[in-house]
Amino acid sequence: MNKASNLMQEIVSLCKRRGFIFPSSEIYNGFRSCYDFGSLGVELKNNIKQAWWKNIVQNRQDVVGLDASILMSPKVWEASGHLTAGFADELVECKSCHKRFKLDELKENKCPECKGELTKPRKFNLMMKTFVGPVEDKAATTYLRAETCQGIYINFLNVLNSMRMKIPFGIAQIGKSFRNEITPGNFIFRLREFEQMEMQWFCHPPASKTTRNRRETKRETDAKNWEPDDWFNYWKEERMKWYLDFGIKKENLRAVEIPEKDRAHYAKRQIDIEYKFPFGWKEVEGIHDRGDWDLSNHSKYSKKDLSYFNEADKEKYIPHIIETSVGVDRSLFAFLCEAYEEVKGGRTKTTKAVKESEMVLRLDKRLTPIKASIFPLVKNKPEIVKKAKQIFDLLKPNFMCQYDEAGSIGRRYRRADEIGVPFAITIDFDTLKQDDVTIRDRDTMKQERIKIENLVETLKQKLNSE
Ligand code: ATP
């Protein structure tokens, strides 16, 4: 087995063993391409969503949030182009083993599994069909959304008016999307049910040459005069910074300009942000210049005027859209791969296990599911256990904590390192005399004694520091 597939197996096994990710419907032998997030997985997922929301919505004045429904009028998907060839993959089937493949993922014109002959490609729409109401007929057909952004476009006027927004501005949303992928796989990389974090940036369309000249002078100082392409570059930089800020190494991240023939049907320009997964460079986020495709089509199909009127310039136009779209599951997978480290020979000196390798999940402190583990040094001294439980109660309302009294202290450190807990707090005999505890740092393994009365504040500072 090669190094990459070994690493994948270790990550998948850690996810199952420690409660990050389970295969869906496991007791019924699984349900391909669906996964359930366990108790630690859901914390990690929530922290990633919160980190994105804080960066995109909370810290800015010009982006607001939305949570639109998954089911929408089927007309939405006519207008968006998803029901036509625009959202179809080319599918081929092996005439011998009957496995199906995406044409653009094949390296040769043979079945990659059994080398059998392939059928001619046919278009396969990725939309998941469902029925609304008691009768399963054409009139009741609708679709599970294939991307969250359509809910944003159809609410463009509602948000614009209720929040009194002025262009340029953005609307952000996090939610589930569904695609009937032909070849799901690589653990949680390609799923049929997944979650997206999308931001749609509404800006002025490309100006005509004369207006551009008139605006050019102000362009550097006044972002209102930026062209869509300036915004595209701005958002690409912003999004690249986000991954680096949360611990992805520069050498594992890249932005790839997508040529016209490979772009999504709505995209005038497209950049994929790619992460170097154990199985190769793959997309984690798409930045798309969607032009006026969506709002023009929704205006046409709904017969509602979705244009924007700028009072100051007395100018009316259909806004241009720059989109940033990232998968929660896929970025979570990238963060996990990046954080996973195996230390050969071990790193804690306290137990016999020193010669074994140990795992450390070096997740960013803001993302890691559990912020502090609380360990009574021994579990057979009631005063120490009582004190440790008091400290757990003190910290719990402030941070996600875990109480652990099973096994040697070294073993407990290793258990905490493996799930990325940044701080381990030990309550020992000195605690009873001095009212202080030991804090051990996951990364440096340094230990320091802190007074219990300062513990919450100290942890807050440590968790917020770089
Ligand atoms: P791919 O080329 O991998 O199929 P895409 O270009 O179709 O992806 P977009 O439509 O741009 O993807 O969706 C934006 C983001 O949503 C992707 O970058 C990815 O993170 C996530 N995403 C899309 N499809 C899936 C899926 N099937 N499973 C998990 N995440 C997905």
Side-chain angles (χ1 to χ4, degrees):
M1 197 181 300
N2 67 28
K3 223 170 132 195
S5 66
N6 239 340
L7 178 61
M8 270 288 279
Q9 262 194 6
E10 282 168 24
I11 293 174
V12 173
S13 141
L14 173 80
C15 285
K16 169 90 198 293
R17 192 161 35 83
R18 297 306 311 272
F20 282 92
I21 301 165
F22 309 126
S24 164
S25 318
E26 207 182 3
I27 60 167
Y28 294 102
N29 300 324
F31 191 62
R32 194 163 171 229
S33 87
C34 291
Y35 285 88
D36 299 337
F37 286 79
S39 317
L40 297 188
V42 65
E43 294 297 333
L44 178 57
K45 214 175 182 199
N46 284 343
N47 293 344
I48 290 172
K49 289 193 266 185
Q50 209 178 58
W52 183 86
W53 195 263
K54 194 164 178 197
N55 179 263
I56 293 273
V57 181
Q58 189 185 331
N59 285 349
R60 303 185 62 104
Q61 232 189 335
D62 48 12
V63 181
V64 288
L66 181 77
D67 185 12
S69 66
I70 289 176
L71 296 176
M72 289 177 260
S73 161
K75 294 215 169 66
V76 170
W77 304 108
E78 270 175 52
S80 70
H82 282 78
L83 292 184
T84 53
F87 197 59
D89 276 343
E90 294 214 273
L91 166 97
V92 287
E93 188 173 322
C94 172
K95 290 182 183 168
S96 312
C97 70
H98 299 289
K99 290 223 168 94
R100 289 169 177 175
F101 305 94
K102 249 172 104 171
L103 184 66
D104 64 3
E105 281 178 357
L106 291 180
K107 292 198 177 70
E108 50 181 358
N109 194 20
K110 279 191 204 134
C111 171
E113 307 259 326
C114 73
K115 306 289 169 207
E117 199 190 330
L118 298 170
T119 58
K120 284 214 170 80
R122 64 187 162 93
K123 293 269 185 192
F124 175 78
N125 195 287
L126 302 180
M127 295 291 287
M128 288 231 194
K129 206 183 260 186
T130 188
F131 300 97
V132 176
V135 189
E136 287 192 14
D137 65 7
K138 206 163 170 227
T141 304
T142 190
Y143 302 87
L144 301 184
R145 68 183 175 199
E147 52 183 27
T148 56
C149 55
Q150 295 302 328
I152 293 181
Y153 307 140
I154 60 173
N155 277 294
F156 169 67
L157 288 184
N158 283 335
V159 177
L160 178 78
N161 296 330
S162 60
M163 300 306 287
R164 294 184 293 126
M165 303 308 286
K166 296 251 176 321
I167 275 180
F169 76 96
I171 304 179
Q173 173 164 230
I174 300 178
K176 290 263 182 166
S177 293
F178 302 81
R179 293 183 191 175
N180 210 354
E181 299 278 4
I182 299 169
T183 48
N186 274 330
F187 192 35
I188 57 166
F189 179 79
R190 191 177 297 288
L191 302 166
R192 292 201 171 107
E193 173 182 342
F194 55 98
E195 217 168 347
Q196 290 183 305
M197 306 188 279
E198 298 197 309
M199 193 280 310
Q200 310 300 314
W201 183 254
F202 300 90
C203 59
H204 193 286
S208 68
K209 213 163 168 202
T210 25
T211 1
R212 194 173 307 142
N213 287 343
R214 179 159 54 79
R215 297 158 95 217
E216 197 74 27
T217 44
K218 289 193 277 174
R219 181 163 163 168
E220 290 307 317
T221 50
D222 188 353
K224 282 198 198 85
N225 294 323
W226 281 11
E227 292 286 307
D229 218 37
D230 298 321
W231 283 119
F232 187 99
N233 295 332
Y234 167 84
W235 280 111
K236 181 197 112 192
E237 293 305 318
E238 284 295 295
R239 295 303 304 141
M240 292 288 282
K241 271 195 261 169
W242 186 76
Y243 293 96
L244 300 174
D245 183 33
F246 282 90
I248 303 287
K249 285 184 225 63
K250 230 178 172 166
E251 62 268 28
N252 292 337
L253 196 71
R254 68 181 189 190
V256 180
E257 187 90 40
I258 305 298
E260 191 175 354
K261 67 177 181 30
D262 298 330
R263 282 180 216 149
H265 64 277
Y266 47 73
K268 281 177 184 303
R269 190 181 163 198
Q270 177 175 342
I271 274 181
D272 286 352
I273 298 183
E274 293 188 345
Y275 174 71
K276 197 175 179 188
F277 285 96
F279 44 90
W281 285 100
K282 296 279 175 198
E283 172 185 343
V284 282
E285 172 156 356
I287 316 276
H288 305 120
D289 177 343
R290 299 182 71 121
D292 63 3
W293 163 268
D294 300 278
L295 289 184
S296 296
N297 274 357
H298 284 305
S299 285
K300 197 164 102 197
Y301 279 74
S302 67
K303 303 197 171 47
K304 303 281 179 325
D305 181 6
L306 300 184
S307 52
Y308 174 81
F309 182 65
N310 179 341
E311 270 305 330
D313 296 346
K314 301 281 176 257
E315 192 188 8
K316 190 174 169 187
Y317 55 86
I318 295 272
H320 206 94
I321 292 171
I322 307 297
E323 162 184 72
T324 70
S325 172
V326 47
V328 179
D329 320 76
R330 229 180 245 188
S331 58
L332 181 148
F333 192 16
F335 285 122
L336 272 180
C337 292
E338 187 77 20
Y340 187 91
E341 190 183 319
E342 190 181 347
V343 183
K344 292 260 188 271
R347 49 185 218 137
T348 47
K349 293 179 233 105
T350 43
T351 69
K352 318 191 225 33
V354 273
K355 289 196 194 64
E356 291 169 13
S357 52
E358 289 177 14
M359 256 121 71
V360 192
L361 202 57
R362 296 194 193 274
L363 281 170
D364 183 281
K365 286 177 280 187
R366 292 162 292 181
L367 300 185
T368 194
I370 307 287
K371 310 297 181 197
S373 288
I374 290 106
F375 305 149
L377 184 66
V378 286
K379 65 174 177 190
N380 54 2
K381 284 274 174 274
E383 315 90 278
I384 289 193
V385 169
K386 186 171 166 212
K387 197 75 184 171
K389 288 194 171 153
Q390 279 170 0
I391 287 174
F392 180 55
D393 288 341
L394 171 77
L395 299 182
K396 234 171 20 176
N398 299 282
F399 322 99
M400 277 308 293
C401 295
Q402 207 174 48
Y403 177 86
D404 186 0
E405 58 178 29
S408 71
I409 199 80
R411 186 174 291 236
R412 281 183 269 166
Y413 280 149
R414 286 203 301 283
R415 267 206 298 270
D417 287 347
E418 197 181 43
I419 57 166
V421 181
F423 301 109
I425 294 164
T426 305
I427 292 85
D428 57 18
F429 291 96
D430 285 342
T431 308
L432 302 177
K433 288 183 254 158
Q434 298 165 193
D435 252 345
D436 60 5
V437 292
T438 305
I439 301 189
R440 182 251 201 194
D441 183 296
R442 174 195 73 195
D443 296 326
T444 63
M445 295 203 299
K446 283 209 181 102
Q447 304 194 2
E448 55 179 319
R449 288 201 82 89
I450 300 287
K451 287 277 176 217
I452 294 173
E453 61 184 355
N454 299 329
L455 192 54
V456 171
E457 234 8 78
T458 307
L459 279 177
K460 274 188 186 160
Q461 273 168 17
K462 283 180 181 293
L463 285 163
N464 287 328
S465 68
E466 288 302 304

